[in-house]
Amino acid sequence: MVHTYDLPTAVDDLASAPPRRASGSARERILDAAYELFLHRGIRDVGINELISRAGVAKATFYTHFTSKDELVLAYLERCHQDLTVEAIIADTGRRTANPAGRILAIFDVLDGWFRQDDFQACAFVSTMLEMGPAHPLGIASIEYLAQVRVFIRALAVEAGLEQPDIFARSCHILTKGSIISAVEGDRESAVFAKRMAASLIRDHGGEVPIAP
């Protein structure tokens, strides 16, 4: 099940895989192995036997915790949801400003910091959706996680009094995803340009763009 967003820790979590969890349980070791392998190589390229070997567990132990590879990928996506992108973006925009229009623009400042990290990796949800396809259960789950950013943007648009908040949120969400793809292509300034377009969108929807301090 896709959970609603909660406020997480620091935005630095956006940049790279988090440290291994303190728990030494077999399930956590399997998830740690999946996180490292899936994040860097994608889903299809990683097999069950490699996951088992990397986690240091028996095959029977693996299937005790995860009945299939797809079930493990869903758990991996849930960890990404907790440790990366969606929750960290939501939290960090609130730390930067209380102005709702300013928080919309701050999304792109958060992305910009992420893109400029030396160990920048593509968003796990975008990567999984593109690799597996939008009709695959894993693609559907990824789309649902990505949609939480759009829901967040819409809530801020309503709070800011923007006209047609649904259309605004869809348009701004396109800018966030497009900037991620451009950053993967090598354009580390893509969030800067996307922020300028987002400011224009705010004005087009009857809002005021806050002056940066």
Side-chain angles (χ1 to χ4, degrees), residues 61-137:
T61 302
F62 178 92
Y63 284 108
T64 296
H65 294 283
F66 301 100
T67 60
S68 67
K69 182 180 174 182
D70 281 3
E71 185 176 320
L72 174 59
V73 177
L74 289 173
Y76 153 74
L77 292 174
E78 173 63 18
R79 176 178 283 191
C80 291
H81 171 64
Q82 294 170 354
D83 292 336
L84 297 172
T85 54
V86 178
E87 293 190 349
I89 288 173
I90 290 169
D92 198 37
T93 60
R95 286 190 290 268
R96 291 169 184 258
T97 178
N99 181 289
R103 289 188 73 184
I104 292 170
L105 296 179
I107 292 172
F108 298 94
D109 294 330
V110 177
L111 291 176
D112 184 55
W114 177 27
F115 297 162
R116 294 181 190 276
Q117 294 287 336
D118 291 337
D119 54 356
F120 165 68
Q121 295 287 332
C123 170
F125 310 125
V126 172
S127 297
T128 301
M129 188 272 293
L130 291 175
E131 180 181 5
M132 306 306 296
H136 190 281

